Amino acid sequence: MKSFDLLSNLKSKLSITRRGFLHGALAVGASATVVGCEKVDEDTFGKDVEVPIDAIVYGSTGHNCGARCITKAHVSNGRIIKFTTDDTAKYTDGTDVSADSENCTQSRACAKCRGYKHRLYHPGRLKYALKQTKKRGDLSGFVRVSYATALTEVATKHKAITDKYGSESFHSLYACGTIASSYQGGGYTGIWTGMNGIGGKYVGGQLSYTDDYSFHQKSFFGNRYTGYTSETFNAPVVAQHVKNLVLWGSNILSTVNEKAYSWIRSVEKMKLRDPNAKVYFIGPEFVDTGVTLADEWIKIKPYTDVALIMGMLYHMIEKTFETTGEIKANPMLDVKYLDTMVYGFFASPEYWIHIGVKEVKDENNVITTVEVKATGEIVLSEPSQNLEQYNKVDAVPAGRALASYIMGDGNYLGGTYDATGDNATYTSAKFISANPPITRGARCDYLVTAGVGTTPYMYKQDFTTPKTPAWASRITGISETKIKELAEIYANPANHPVASTWAGGQTKQSEGVMTFFAMHSMMLISKVWGETGNVFDRAFGGSRGEAEGNLSVKIDRNVPDNPGSPVIGCTQWLSGIKFAFGDQLTTTNGYTGSYVHDHTVTDVNDRKAYFDDSGVKSLIKWKRDDKGKLIVITDNTSSAKGCYEWDKDSNNKPIYSGVRFILNAGGNILINQHMNPNDSRQVYESLPLASESPTDPDTLCLVSLDNFLSPSPRWSDYIFPATTNWEQEDILGISLGNSIYVPVVSKAPGESKAPYDFTNELLKAYAKIDPRKSGLSTDFTGGVADKSLEMHTKEAFAVASSKAGILQGKTWDEYLKNPFLPRVPNDSVITKSKSKLRTNIDKYIDLSNEDRIGTPFIKVDTSTYSVKHIHQSVNLVGLNNAGYGDMGGGEFSNPETAPDSPSRFTVYSPMFVWRYENRYSKFHGYLATADRGMKNEDSEGDPLVYPIPMYFNYEDYFMDAYGGVDKLPPVNNRFLLTTTHDRYRVHSSQAENPYLRELTHRTVGGDLYSGDDWNEYALLGVEPAEDGKYAIPRLNKAIAENKANATYSEIWMNDIDANKKGIRDGDLVEVSNAIGKVHCVARLSKRCVEGFLGLHQGCWYDPDPDTGVDVGGNCNTLMASRPSRADHGNAQQSAMVEIKRVVV
Amino acid sequence: MRYAFYFDQSRCMSCNTCSVACKDWHGVNPGAVRWRKVDSHETEGGFFNLSMSCNHCETPACLYVCTAGAIYKRDDGIVAVDRAICQKIEDCKIECPYDTPQFANNKQEPETIAGSFTRHPMQKCDFCVDRIDNNEPPICVASCPAYALDYGDYAELQDKYPDAVPLTKDDFPYAYKRDAEDNTGPSMLIKKRKGLKIT
Ligand code: SF4
């Protein structure tokens, strides 16, 4: 029996001694520093709250910081006075907690959770339901309404809109202010979410979204286009095996606190094991992760990773082939392997490969199709028999192969496949019989319709330019020598295993998808895969171990299914609003479109979906069968056969649902965290208010649930005050241990309610106006009206404590005293191994020359994984493989036209192009055939998406996004700006917290830590005065009042650049581009490369009412609306700006 | 007994958890005063994080110049201030080589300390005597997610961390005020971060 040492170094006993029936105003009174109105509100929903008076209580947080750590609230006199963190000394197996292990799971919280006191008791907390009565965003237009009235109006509006436009017009916005818990979750995994939350289903259905703002590009690219998969990444792998750790911009130590120590300790051990082991950091801003871990910082200009990779690949090719195309004596690349396994690096003919067929049985278990095993046989002309047993593999034209793009002018690639030499394989033996013989590559011949001399697109001018290390050096700023050295690290097996990490920043750049495509390709080509430690992932660590004592709390519900509906990419909802209200977003109404330069107001009026379209064209009202499913048109005479059937208005026109009602539960995407707040603001301000008539189905309605009057609630129609952790019961999954129940520890201000209670009350309000909804609130709370989360948890606990396990025999009070059980680390030795596919390919390559030529690779071992890995998952699982990351776009009207898989790794992907061009086509039956799918065409008629990874010059994106080359910042004042996440905000959560704010904000002329506007920021949540006017005009009162102690967000800048611009450390600066203007304070640092500015993510948008300058320093104010290439995600880490000192 | 801090510069990620935990534990309001400061220093050879509070020196300059007699050194080496006696002469701040003594303004310290001589007496790290006397580590040490901080008797820490070097101006110039002398015998041991190659 394992012993469990219950740590009892708690200073005082948890004592729950006061049970009170608290009304909102009383709760306010209990929190002495909360200012504002304290009159009793008869509409406040009473709630039976248990309040600890003097205690130490375990808890955590629900915000989306990437981790979930332990904090212990020290409560004195009913108020949290300080926090401590986990100090567990023994694991549940009785062994000592020791920081010697890279798997140490003591869960120490970071500054964000240690600073929570000033968030909870912030004077600006929202207390009452508010309704906008003038114009969205107008602070003087908010009036306090009773919670019940607000709920009724919101429910009435929702019903009116969805009755007319269908449930697809309701969008529960991506939000992550309360992410960790599906019980109280404000968004994301929670009750209200666009993915699988239940709130929307209870109210009749919703338009869902896929993926999130953080990793859209990475998720979109997935792993299926190339077939690359990473080996396992964890701290012991680094400690025990990795030789080179290459951090491509990683900032994990700042962004995932739970993993930070694992990284630090495993890198220490890696170097103890091998003194030559190295950590490289490649990035424009030397973030804290680099400062702590790196041996070498390779400075790179932002957004140029793909150019670096192309330069590295050039070097690998040059070291493999003679200029004539012959293979060198000691080639850097393994040509046998490339011919066998990597499709599209070199040119290849059209061919058919035998993939066999799977056995099929009918409902009576009778075999209707007999299995035929794959032989891997390649034929160069279409087989006359059993065609269904073959995949047709598209030719890779000589001028289009990836190697041709890299070499540009065709040099080094003139050689043909060799069927006799040492490098011959079965595949090359087949290819050589093509007539005329296939050369490995040729001069790059991707079309430039306008002509190379005419096109302003720099990437097109470079098609035939050799992507030499010198070329890459000019673009990236990295020396040629270093580029070659990096190539050797990847291509030379003596340097393996190489673990590479991608960064969140890369997946939010305009060309982030290309970065993933290029990285996958580079690692496939250089064979950095299939062996322990050869990894490409975002993060490792904090993870190897088992947790015990998880409480499984299940609330029995009969949640209705979401009706069949399109699914849009998570960043496309604003485009959905424009699609809905295209006819109203006119210049007369105030929408000038002046912040969007690649889409005109006329385009909006004509309902042309922005950037065609990532799901927005699907946002019309759909027909459904009696089960709520979408109906596919089967009529052979219809040109829309294979598409879904749509609803029509009296004029036989489609009904534009778009996005008309948004519930923003605990998020700040609505304006702050989405690109281009200036444009969003114009949209909101030019459309009529929801509150004018709750029964009117034709007005936009924005509803926010929040703790503060942060920017998103500010531009909403209705605001409901929300509780946060410590003020609501919740079950939170701790990253390094079990899930814990956190009771209510601190009373929330005013009428604040937890999402669970808000939902319960909203469903009750709904039932009053719509009898079909009666009973839903009771179902939501688990079949018993108003049953609290605490009751559900206690019941689950009773079950767990009566069963064998770590909770057996415990009382509820004992559990509450210390609910946290860290995972028991698994420190076992990891044996170095190869994946099955790698084993087989290595075996194949070791075959004698003769055997290799006579044997298709996939026949090497018929029982092996080799075919399955590449082949079954593509072909037999089929077109709908999740690995394609379609973001809801994988609904094709014409799947039969999709290209087949080459059954190899792929660095040239016809599927990548096909999927782009056919996404969502099943929803496009109402459109002319030419308008279905997504148009793969840029302004010159050339493709946006190519089958290979390419370097798209950042200038090209900015030219498109800002409205022309002449709209770019002047060449002598041109900076590239990114927005890494520092560790003092969670996206934009806690931007109001003075303990954290002072670490990133400075007074003008002030030094570090000069922040001194405590209690002068984010005070808008107080009740409006009797005359409806806000006493405080802005988020930043000190700036509004021109006070010397006003602070601005720091912007990081290279000191040499600053010198040239006459900017000193601490100066107020204006940073601007065609999209917006912000004010910040300059922080000069050698940790930025020249030409780069770092404005960290998450400050709150605070436009000056007169000048429009965002004095809040929100980086997104500078981010164009134009989405990233291919995935249409957010490109919110991409901006080109100018900077100047502001004289104060 | 000589209480001292140990700091592992190769582990510190300048996350400020220690400094925020310190402010929170000691009830220091938001504002410029912070007993423990974290900075990432840019010097020849790279970037060097330093988390430092009072170094509880062997021969504390502050103590010797304080004419009010507000500063004292305990038998266990902890240098403490009796805020009630402090007359805000501020010589301690001038003499301390590390700029440790701090004085709040009205905003950060709105309440006058009961019975104190001056509105905003000197404040600084007290090595968490409340916790030490209760057998708990200082709050900064207990908070550090990177396990970069430790505390204990100076000699015992030297044994425990043979790689650590004493805090000196030669090795860590950025820890000192520009013209400060290095003669106070700080009770601080540091494991140095290796240099960085920048290419
Ligand atoms: S908590 Fe630790 S890692 Fe963070 S700044 Fe302080 S000493 Fe450094």
Side-chain angles (χ1 to χ4, degrees):
Chain A
M1 169 94 188
K2 289 174 180 173
S3 73
F4 170 61
D5 179 68
L6 180 71
L7 265 194
S8 53
N9 62 348
L10 302 180
K11 271 186 167 172
S12 52
K13 256 181 78 194
L14 180 76
S15 58
I16 294 172
T17 54
R18 191 167 69 188
R19 175 173 276 269
F21 197 70
L22 289 166
H23 289 269
L26 291 174
V28 172
S31 303
T33 60
V34 178
V35 299
C37 176
E38 294 194 3
K39 67 185 176 218
V40 175
D41 175 15
E42 58 287 356
D43 286 323
T44 304
F45 296 98
K47 189 162 163 32
D48 203 2
V49 183
E50 286 186 345
V51 210
I53 299 304
D54 289 294
I56 298 175
V57 188
Y58 271 76
S60 184
T61 182
H63 54 227
N64 179 19
C65 69
R68 204 79 51 226
C69 310
I70 286 287
T71 31
K72 292 190 271 183
H74 293 235
V75 186
S76 172
N77 223 356
R79 188 179 157 87
I80 297 175
I81 53 161
K82 55 182 73 171
F83 289 97
T84 48
T85 190
D86 184 26
D87 52 6
T88 305
K90 283 201 189 295
Y91 295 118
T92 50
D93 67 355
T95 54
D96 288 343
V97 168
S98 164
D100 187 53
S101 166
E102 67 276 19
N103 290 312
C104 176
T105 52
Q106 197 181 63
S107 179
R108 292 189 173 187
C110 79
K112 291 185 288 288
C113 275
R114 302 303 293 251
Y116 235 84
K117 188 168 64 188
H118 288 280
R119 174 170 170 77
L120 294 172
Y121 304 120
H122 195 291
R125 286 288 300 273
L126 278 167
K127 291 188 279 300
Y128 306 111
L130 301 174
K131 166 165 115 169
Q132 179 57 267
T133 58
K134 289 183 179 167
K135 181 175 169 182
R136 288 190 190 87
D138 183 344
L139 290 166
S140 72
F142 280 116
V143 296
R144 182 180 163 191
V145 284
S146 80
Y147 204 99
T149 307
L151 278 180
T152 305
E153 290 188 12
V154 162
T156 306
K157 178 64 86 177
H158 180 276
K159 183 174 183 304
I161 290 176
T162 52
D163 279 354
K164 179 164 177 188
Y165 293 102
S167 60
E168 48 274 70
S169 59
F170 168 55
H171 190 50
S172 179
L173 196 59
Y174 170 63
C176 61
T178 318
I179 189 179
S181 144
S182 55
Y183 306 96
Q184 286 294 12
Y188 206 17
T189 58
I191 297 166
W192 294 95
T193 169
M195 293 214 275
N196 44 26
I198 56 176
K201 294 173 189 167
Y202 274 121
V203 296
Q206 65 190 331
L207 170 66
S208 302
Y209 58 79
T210 54
D211 210 60
D212 59 38
Y213 272 63
S214 293
F215 304 131
H216 199 271
Q217 301 175 20
K218 195 270 166 191
S219 306
F220 170 85
F221 192 68
N223 58 12
R224 193 38 53 212
Y225 289 113
T226 59
Y228 170 83
T229 44
S230 172
E231 292 303 300
T232 306
F233 203 17
N234 59 33
V237 162
V238 175
Q240 297 173 33
H241 295 287
V242 168
K243 193 150 188 190
N244 286 289
L245 177 59
V246 187
L247 310 176
W248 293 74
S250 308
N251 197 11
I252 291 295
L253 265 51
S254 295
T255 54
V256 192
N257 182 55
E258 144 229 343
K259 297 188 191 299
Y261 185 64
S262 278
W263 280 50
I264 291 169
R265 186 66 188 137
S266 55
V267 166
E268 280 176 2
K269 288 192 172 176
M270 168 177 121
K271 291 182 186 172
L272 285 172
R273 165 180 51 83
D274 179 355
N276 295 321
K278 270 188 91 168
V279 181
Y280 297 87
F281 179 91
I282 306 175
E285 180 179 346
F286 197 51
V287 294
D288 289 336
T289 302
V291 171
T292 307
L293 293 180
D295 298 300
E296 181 168 344
W297 172 26
I298 300 171
K299 293 176 167 186
I300 187 172
K301 278 191 209 152
Y303 330 134
T304 62
D305 297 7
V306 177
L308 166 61
I309 293 166
M310 293 303 155
M312 289 163 64
L313 287 170
Y314 184 98
H315 182 68
M316 294 179 200
I317 293 172
E318 197 184 30
K319 290 274 172 189
T320 301
F321 295 101
E322 304 289 353
T323 44
T324 53
E326 254 129 71
I327 298 168
K328 284 189 165 161
N330 283 311
M332 189 179 255
L333 294 173
D334 183 342
V335 180
K336 281 179 283 213
Y337 153 77
L338 291 171
D339 285 347
T340 310
M341 279 305 291
V342 184
Y343 170 74
F345 188 47
F346 301 128
S348 55
E350 176 179 87
Y351 64 95
W352 284 256
I353 182 166
H354 186 259
I355 58 154
V357 284
K358 246 179 145 178
E359 181 181 272
V360 180
K361 290 181 180 165
D362 67 11
E363 61 271 22
N364 301 320
N365 232 8
V366 175
I367 296 173
T368 52
T369 307
V370 180
E371 181 183 12
V372 180
K373 283 215 156 67
T375 65
E377 183 72 22
I378 286 173
V379 289
L380 295 187
S381 48
E382 187 172 279
S384 52
Q385 285 181 331
N386 301 327
L387 189 57
E388 72 287 355
Q389 295 179 18
Y390 288 83
N391 261 1
K392 175 173 177 274
V393 180
D394 289 348
V396 180
R400 308 266 162 127
L402 177 57
S404 303
Y405 167 74
I406 293 165
M407 301 319 281
D409 58 7
N411 224 353
Y412 293 90
L413 297 171
T416 52
Y417 286 89
D418 183 359
T420 54
D422 266 358
N423 285 292
T425 64
Y426 175 81
T427 310
S428 59
K430 287 287 171 180
F431 289 175
I432 200 171
S433 59
N435 189 17
I438 298 293
T439 53
R440 293 190 183 279
R443 187 180 171 82
C444 179
D445 65 3
Y446 283 100
L447 284 180
V448 183
T449 305
V452 175
T454 309
T455 179
Y457 287 97
M458 293 171 72
Y459 86 92
K460 296 184 198 175
Q461 297 165 15
D462 256 1
F463 278 154
T464 58
T465 309
K467 315 298 181 299
T468 59
W471 168 87
S473 178
R474 278 195 301 278
I475 292 169
T476 61
I478 303 175
S479 73
E480 282 182 63
T481 326
K482 190 51 69 180
I483 293 170
K484 291 176 185 171
E485 192 187 311
L486 277 169
E488 312 257 345
I489 287 171
Y490 278 87
N492 183 349
N495 296 321
H496 298 179
V498 183
S500 314
T501 63
W502 54 271
Q506 283 165 317
T507 102
K508 299 180 205 78
Q509 291 173 5
S510 54
E511 306 298 347
V513 172
M514 282 305 121
T515 306
F516 284 93
F517 200 169
M519 276 299 286
H520 280 200
S521 301
M522 194 259 286
M523 287 182 299
L524 289 171
I525 290 160
S526 57
K527 259 171 110 176
V528 186
W529 62 272
E531 281 184 297
T532 306
N534 280 339
V535 174
F536 180 51
D537 209 335
R538 172 170 165 260
F540 65 87
S543 57
R544 200 162 177 248
E546 294 298 323
E548 286 184 275
N550 282 309
L551 262 188
S552 164
V553 180
K554 193 170 176 321
I555 302 176
D556 283 328
R557 292 168 171 146
N558 298 303
V559 186
D561 286 338
N562 205 41
S565 179
V567 176
I568 58 170
C570 65
T571 60
Q572 296 308 307
W573 52 273
L574 186 72
S575 185
I577 293 178
K578 291 180 180 176
F579 194 65
F581 296 100
D583 49 348
Q584 294 179 45
L585 286 167
T586 58
T587 37
T588 326
N589 291 341
Y591 185 71
T592 64
S594 49
Y595 302 104
V596 182
H597 307 281
D598 50 353
H599 201 63
T600 64
V601 178
T602 315
D603 289 338
V604 174
N605 302 154
D606 292 347
R607 291 199 161 91
K608 281 202 184 126
Y610 183 46
F611 211 59
D612 194 28
D613 78 316
S614 206
V616 171
K617 289 190 301 199
S618 318
L619 303 185
I620 59 168
K621 195 175 177 195
W622 295 100
K623 277 212 168 127
R624 299 181 172 93
D625 65 17
D626 50 9
K627 293 205 177 68
K629 294 236 156 57
L630 297 173
I631 301 159
V632 178
I633 299 169
T634 50
D635 177 3
N636 280 331
T637 63
S638 167
S639 75
K641 187 182 171 229
C643 298
Y644 292 122
E645 201 173 335
W646 61 97
D647 225 342
K648 292 173 186 143
D649 67 11
S650 50
N651 298 319
N652 229 13
K653 291 258 167 12
I655 298 161
Y656 292 99
S657 305
V659 171
R660 292 172 185 267
F661 188 114
I662 283 184
L663 178 69
N664 168 41
N668 210 352
I669 291 286
L670 198 57
I671 192 155
N672 208 75
Q673 295 304 100
H674 187 72
M675 49 277 209
N676 205 345
N678 286 333
D679 181 57
S680 311
R681 181 183 161 194
Q682 251 202 1
V683 170
Y684 304 151
E685 291 184 1
S686 44
L687 293 173
L689 285 181
S691 63
E692 276 164 17
S693 163
T695 52
D696 179 358
D698 291 315
T699 46
L700 174 70
C701 183
L702 307 175
V703 179
S704 282
L705 191 63
D706 210 325
N707 306 127
F708 292 90
L709 215 159
S710 68
S712 290
R714 177 173 169 184
W715 271 275
S716 297
D717 294 281
Y718 292 90
I719 306 172
F720 292 90
T723 56
T724 183
N725 42 286
W726 303 110
E727 298 166 344
Q728 60 193 26
E729 39 318 29
D730 207 352
I731 298 150
L732 295 169
I734 307 301
S735 319
L736 295 176
N738 60 342
S739 302
I740 62 169
Y741 171 75
V742 187
V744 176
V745 179
S746 182
K747 290 163 222 153
E751 298 170 343
S752 301
K753 252 176 258 310
Y756 182 88
D757 299 316
F758 166 81
T759 308
N760 186 17
E761 298 303 335
L762 179 66
L763 293 175
K764 285 185 203 166
Y766 223 120
K768 284 189 195 145
I769 56 160
D770 185 351
R772 291 171 303 170
K773 301 279 191 300
S774 64
L776 290 183
S777 63
T778 305
D779 189 68
F780 170 73
T781 52
V784 177
D786 299 329
K787 186 168 171 180
S788 71
L789 204 50
E790 183 189 17
M791 288 313 298
H792 285 290
T793 313
K794 277 184 168 165
E795 284 175 10
F797 179 80
V799 173
S801 60
S802 64
K803 287 201 305 209
I806 204 124
L807 298 174
Q808 189 175 24
K810 277 207 161 43
T811 66
W812 178 245
D813 278 351
E814 280 168 347
Y815 169 75
L816 283 186
K817 267 183 216 160
N818 186 355
F820 179 57
L821 305 171
R823 292 180 192 176
V824 179
N826 174 359
D827 288 334
S828 59
V829 171
I830 292 171
T831 318
K832 188 169 181 175
S833 63
K834 285 184 182 178
S835 70
K836 285 183 185 162
L837 181 62
R838 181 63 188 261
T839 308
N840 286 318
I841 185 77
D842 287 353
K843 236 197 288 182
Y844 175 80
I845 282 161
D846 281 347
L847 289 176
S848 71
N849 204 1
E850 220 166 72
D851 283 349
R852 239 182 6 247
I853 295 172
T855 317
F857 168 63
I858 65 170
K859 275 180 73 184
V860 167
D861 177 352
T862 46
S863 66
T864 66
Y865 191 64
S866 56
V867 182
K868 284 184 196 150
H869 182 82
I870 285 300
H871 164 95
Q872 286 192 339
S873 53
V874 176
N875 293 298
L876 306 184
V877 175
L879 202 60
N880 296 323
N881 190 293
Y884 284 114
D886 281 304
M887 307 294 175
E891 298 242 32
F892 307 113
S893 59
N894 50 349
E896 67 287 350
T897 63
D900 285 344
S901 159
S903 303
R904 298 153 76 189
F905 291 136
T906 305
V907 298
Y908 172 100
S909 175
M911 182 64 103
F912 188 57
V913 178
W914 183 88
R915 280 187 114 81
Y916 186 84
E917 292 173 353
N918 291 280
R919 290 175 78 193
Y920 304 97
S921 51
K922 217 167 172 175
F923 290 104
H924 294 167
Y926 77 101
L927 295 166
T929 328
D931 293 333
R932 293 181 193 162
M934 299 192 343
K935 206 168 232 88
N936 187 13
E937 239 175 48
D938 71 4
S939 59
E940 296 183 331
D942 292 325
L944 286 163
V945 170
Y946 294 80
I948 56 170
M950 283 180 181
Y951 173 64
F952 293 98
N953 303 58
Y954 53 79
E955 292 89 341
D956 296 342
Y957 170 83
F958 295 122
M959 174 184 79
D960 282 330
Y962 299 171
V965 183
D966 55 332
K967 298 287 167 39
L968 302 183
V971 179
N972 63 0
N973 192 359
R974 189 175 276 189
F975 289 82
L976 299 172
L977 179 145
T978 74
T979 70
T980 190
H981 297 39
D982 62 38
R983 47 165 77 82
Y984 306 119
R985 285 183 294 272
V986 182
H987 306 111
S988 73
S989 297
Q990 298 230 53
E992 81 296 335
N993 186 335
Y995 261 175
L996 303 171
R997 209 177 123 76
E998 65 187 19
L999 294 165
T1000 55
H1001 283 65
R1002 289 158 79 170
T1003 53
V1004 177
D1007 210 339
L1008 291 183
Y1009 311 127
S1010 56
D1012 193 22
D1013 52 8
W1014 178 42
N1015 281 356
E1016 294 179 76
Y1017 182 75
L1019 302 177
L1020 301 175
V1022 298
E1023 192 192 12
E1026 290 298 318
D1027 62 0
K1029 287 233 171 63
Y1030 257 89
I1032 303 147
R1034 304 262 286 282
L1035 271 170
N1036 196 321
K1037 190 167 172 267
I1039 291 181
E1041 293 172 357
N1042 235 336
K1043 288 171 67 175
N1045 70 335
T1047 64
Y1048 293 82
S1049 170
E1050 287 176 343
I1051 186 163
W1052 292 56
M1053 180 178 199
N1054 177 279
D1055 52 343
I1056 298 166
D1057 282 337
N1059 215 355
K1060 286 186 202 151
K1061 294 263 154 289
I1063 293 169
R1064 292 160 311 187
D1065 190 69
D1067 276 351
L1068 186 67
V1069 290
E1070 182 168 293
V1071 183
S1072 60
N1073 61 12
I1075 311 298
K1077 279 190 174 77
V1078 302
H1079 278 180
C1080 301
V1081 161
R1083 174 174 181 155
L1084 308 193
S1085 174
K1086 292 192 191 326
R1087 284 166 59 178
C1088 303
V1089 300
E1090 283 178 57
F1092 165 87
L1093 295 171
L1095 177 54
H1096 297 173
Q1097 186 58 238
C1099 289
W1100 286 353
Y1101 178 62
D1102 195 11
D1104 183 300
D1106 300 323
T1107 63
V1109 176
D1110 175 10
V1111 296
N1114 178 9
C1115 54
N1116 292 322
T1117 304
L1118 301 164
M1119 300 298 156
S1121 300
R1122 192 177 178 87
S1124 45
R1125 191 182 302 270
D1127 72 318
H1128 295 206
N1130 63 344
Q1132 283 169 253
Q1133 291 262 9
S1134 304
M1136 186 184 270
V1137 296
E1138 57 190 286
I1139 186 167
K1140 66 172 188 212
R1141 190 161 86 88
V1142 179
V1143 184
V1144 280
Chain B
M1 180 66 180
R2 173 187 173 191
Y3 269 123
F5 284 114
Y6 163 79
F7 173 66
D8 187 338
Q9 188 173 49
S10 72
R11 283 185 174 180
C12 176
M13 44 190 187
S14 68
C15 70
N16 267 300
T17 304
C18 51
S19 77
V20 172
C22 170
K23 279 186 118 159
D24 177 65
W25 181 266
H26 295 288
V28 177
N29 281 328
V33 168
R34 52 198 315 119
W35 295 3
R36 177 165 282 273
K37 287 186 176 167
V38 178
D39 204 352
S40 190
H41 299 273
E42 309 191 355
T43 66
E44 287 301 304
F47 307 97
F48 298 93
N49 294 332
L50 181 67
S51 163
M52 196 172 80
S53 57
C54 172
N55 293 315
H56 301 275
C57 303
E58 279 287 82
T59 50
C62 56
L63 188 156
Y64 294 117
V65 296
C66 178
T67 48
I71 300 170
Y72 59 100
K73 192 164 170 70
R74 299 187 356 158
D75 289 347
D76 57 10
I78 295 173
V79 176
V81 56
D82 184 342
R83 297 195 77 201
I85 304 177
C86 172
Q87 295 176 17
K88 202 168 184 281
I89 304 163
E90 300 198 20
D91 280 353
C92 53
K93 185 175 166 65
I94 295 166
E95 288 305 314
C96 171
Y98 312 104
D99 204 17
T100 295
Q102 293 171 67
F103 302 86
N105 58 15
N106 288 349
K107 185 159 187 191
Q108 189 171 15
E109 195 170 51
E111 319 259 318
T112 307
I113 313 296
S116 68
F117 190 89
T118 166
R119 177 88 197 266
H120 301 298
M122 188 270 262
Q123 50 181 308
K124 69 167 195 73
C125 160
D126 65 356
F127 217 95
C128 288
V129 283
D130 55 335
R131 293 174 57 93
I132 293 283
D133 293 347
N134 204 25
N135 276 330
E136 287 173 321
I139 195 76
C140 53
V141 174
S143 75
C144 178
Y147 298 85
L149 291 169
D150 204 351
Y151 79 110
D153 176 62
Y154 190 88
E156 284 173 20
L157 284 175
Q158 274 180 316
D159 288 347
K160 190 170 171 189
Y161 301 105
D163 290 350
V165 296
L167 169 65
T168 58
K169 200 168 179 183
D170 285 347
D171 278 340
F172 306 96
Y174 41 82
Y176 290 75
K177 290 194 297 206
R178 186 169 306 172
D179 300 320
E181 291 199 50
D182 187 8
N183 56 6
T184 58
S187 302
M188 168 81 151
L189 294 162
I190 303 181
K191 181 176 170 194
K192 283 179 94 167
R193 188 213 198 277
K194 292 217 177 75
L196 172 77
K197 191 168 164 193
I198 301 177
T199 53

